[in-house]
Amino acid sequence: MFSCIPHRKSHHLCSPSWRSILSHIVSTSHRLLFHLDPFTIQLIYFAFISLVGFWLLKAIKPTTAMPQNLDLFFMSVSSGTVSSMSTVEMEVFSNGQLIVMTVLMLIGGEVFLSMVSLYLSTSYSPGSCRIQGKVDSPSKVTPVEDLSQVEMGIAGKASESEHQYEAGLQEDQDLKYRSIKALVLLILNYIVIIHLLGVILLLVYMSVVTGAREVLEKKGLKIITYAIFTIVSSFSSCGFTPNNENMAIFSKNSGLLLIILPQLLLGNTFYPSCLRFLIWLSGKFVRQNEFEYLLKSNVAKIGYDHLLPSMQSRLLPLTALGFIAVQMILFCTMEWNSGLMSGMNGIQKFVGCLFQCANTRHTGESVVNIAAIAPAILVLFIVMMYLPPYTTFLPSKHDEDCIKQVDGGNHKTIGKRILENVVFSQLGYLIIYLIAICITERKSLVEDPLNFNVLNIAMEVVSAYGNVGFSTGYSCELRLHPQGSCIDKDYGFAGKWSNQGKIILIIVMFHGRLKKFNLHGGKAWKIT
């Protein structure tokens, strides 16, 4: 395809080969990425994987009739943004489609994506500060001073001092580069080991407990697909399961719930603490300077948001456990003897309650019917879903230190300051989304008020924004004016919304996945 033309001054002039074209594309992409801000890059990334996921889901034949295009795109976005909001039943998807969703959840998960972002940030690290070292060197002198130094015979010492400064600067940059590479490798091992252990334990459980295995076999689900899908979904904080009933069908299988429970925590609220512990542990055994550098560096210097300061990484799991304890106290007090947990013994109730409360922090797997939970508990769940994953109780004297370590003392440009003045807070955006959906679903709010009420809509919106996946669903029995046939389906409440409402919820899921870029928005609005 590419022709080579002989030339007298060289062996040949050849059109660019495929390797050179690919190298040019990669280098161009790197330059483009380095000129875009992280928000734009991740927005393009999630939009791209959602479109590719939709195309693949559309191309693979489902087990039943093919869902509508909007529903397929909705499910693709929900998988890629690890939101687990659903508008179709999960058992509609074939084994091939489940594999596609598994990949979307994996590459859309925060731990995996942060690892890839950190690796790409090292592309131009080696030697990047050689010129900067010369520019910023404090040993530079003016020509007049240089002439006087030559006359005094000390120019050699100044030059030597400058070289030492540049060498020290370059050594620090190289150490930072090696440290980031070591951190990427450590995160990769963390992801692989946690997933392998989870899948192996789940497969062993299914082989031992025949009742749980028979449930999946009756549904036509492959055990290996279920194991991989569920572990990836749990670790990525998505919450999808290949069966319609989510984890409610295994509410009495306490062993299975206890296998999945660590995945929920290790891939979300416990991740920064586990990462810092692994860095410390690796430094004890390997004794490399890189791990010591990682422990002493702040977030801004490394460029990895999940490498939290020491104090915050210690208090984070305590805060998460405190939130779970508060939910369990209220949940067990109000629902222990209710019909919601009927048929369970004491151990099953305790494990089920623990599993349910742990899922409110951004995973969304459920062992009970969300719609049947007491309204007071639902309000608490909404608050838990709204909180960012790394919400931590910090004493005031440590709070300022952690903020300095995270911000790194970076000065903001005028453009960023203007943008911060016009954006709303997270709560402000939630109110806007809630009002918009109440407008699009206003007809259903009047005709079907028991299903379409503000609390259920708020639950759906906050769940999508928090990328959790909790949903009250839709009940045909609650209709005040039954018209035509109605069959209860095991998908989310949004499945009964209008197309306009579904599109708004898609935007909410995208916004929720990128909300980390607006955690401190709305500061310009003062309420006095």
Side-chain angles (χ1 to χ4, degrees), residues 304-361:
Y304 192 62
D305 295 336
H306 304 284
L307 187 59
L308 300 180
S310 177
M311 179 57 67
Q312 188 176 358
S313 64
R314 294 174 186 175
L315 295 177
L316 177 60
L318 297 178
T319 305
L321 292 175
F323 285 144
I324 294 175
V326 171
Q327 295 175 82
M328 286 190 65
I329 292 173
L330 183 62
F331 194 95
C332 292
T333 301
M334 302 189 67
E335 301 291 357
W336 188 268
N337 295 318
S338 68
L340 191 66
M341 307 181 75
S342 60
M344 300 183 186
N345 57 38
I347 296 177
Q348 292 170 345
K349 287 183 179 181
F350 179 82
V351 174
C353 178
L354 175 63
F355 186 85
Q356 188 69 42
C357 294
N359 271 274
T360 58
R361 300 297 306 280

Side-chain angles (χ1 to χ4, degrees), residues 179-219:
S179 300
I180 294 178
K181 286 290 187 180
L183 181 59
V184 171
L185 184 60
L186 188 65
I187 298 171
L188 179 60
N189 290 329
Y190 180 83
I191 295 174
V192 172
I193 292 174
I194 295 297
H195 279 82
L196 281 178
L197 286 176
V199 172
I200 292 173
L201 289 175
L202 203 152
L203 289 175
V204 171
Y205 181 88
M206 288 295 176
S207 64
V208 174
V209 183
T210 57
R213 184 176 67 252
E214 289 175 355
V215 169
L216 298 180
E217 291 176 347
K218 289 179 181 179
K219 291 178 173 291

Side-chain angles (χ1 to χ4, degrees), residues 454-518:
V454 177
L455 179 61
N456 288 352
I457 294 177
M459 182 82 176
E460 203 82 0
V461 172
V462 177
S463 181
Y465 189 79
N467 304 124
V468 179
F470 277 164
S471 178
T472 56
Y474 184 89
S475 175
C476 296
E477 296 180 357
L478 295 179
R479 295 184 304 166
L480 296 181
H481 310 287
Q483 295 179 356
S485 61
C486 180
I487 302 176
D488 288 325
K489 297 288 186 179
D490 291 315
Y491 51 67
F493 181 38
K496 289 292 185 179
W497 292 7
S498 64
N499 288 342
Q500 294 84 355
K502 293 177 181 177
I503 292 174
I504 293 176
L505 204 63
I506 289 175
I507 297 174
V508 174
M509 287 190 288
F510 276 123
H511 191 174
R513 188 62 182 85
L514 300 171
K515 62 181 176 290
K516 62 183 178 181
F517 297 104
N518 186 41

Side-chain angles (χ1 to χ4, degrees), residues 221-290:
L221 296 172
K222 295 182 178 180
I223 305 298
I224 184 65
T225 301
Y226 180 86
I228 297 176
F229 186 100
T230 304
I231 294 300
V232 171
S233 175
S234 301
F235 183 84
S236 301
S237 300
C238 184
F240 273 145
T241 58
N243 57 296
N244 293 336
E245 304 86 356
N246 206 272
M247 297 306 297
I249 199 171
F250 297 116
S251 59
K252 298 181 180 180
N253 296 95
S254 300
L256 179 61
L257 300 181
L258 291 176
I259 291 174
I260 297 175
L261 183 60
Q263 301 285 332
L264 314 176
L265 302 175
L266 295 176
N268 194 274
T269 52
F270 281 20
Y271 171 61
S273 303
C274 293
L275 180 62
R276 195 168 187 89
F277 173 75
L278 288 177
I279 293 173
W280 174 82
L281 191 64
S282 300
K284 290 294 182 180
F285 285 96
V286 181
R287 296 188 180 278
Q288 291 183 354
N289 295 332
E290 290 82 355

Side-chain angles (χ1 to χ4, degrees), residues 133 137-141 146 149 153-169:
S137 176
S139 302
K140 291 192 297 183
V141 291
D146 186 67
Q149 288 179 354
I154 60 173
K157 293 183 179 180
S159 177
E160 182 180 354
S161 176
E162 182 177 351
H163 286 309
Q164 289 177 352
Y165 174 80
E166 292 178 9
L169 191 63

Side-chain angles (χ1 to χ4, degrees), residues 55-111:
W55 178 76
L56 292 174
L57 291 176
K58 183 73 174 176
I60 302 174
K61 185 178 179 181
T63 57
T64 59
M66 180 68 74
Q68 297 180 358
N69 288 338
L70 181 59
D71 290 326
L72 277 181
F73 182 67
F74 187 100
M75 296 299 290
S76 178
V77 172
S78 187
S79 300
T81 58
V82 293
S83 301
S84 71
M85 309 299 294
S86 61
T87 56
V88 297
E89 292 183 315
M90 289 299 298
E91 292 177 21
V92 168
F93 297 108
S94 62
N95 191 71
Q97 290 174 317
L98 291 177
I99 294 175
V100 172
M101 296 177 69
T102 303
V103 175
L104 287 174
M105 292 186 295
L106 177 64
I107 64 178
E110 180 61 26
V111 178

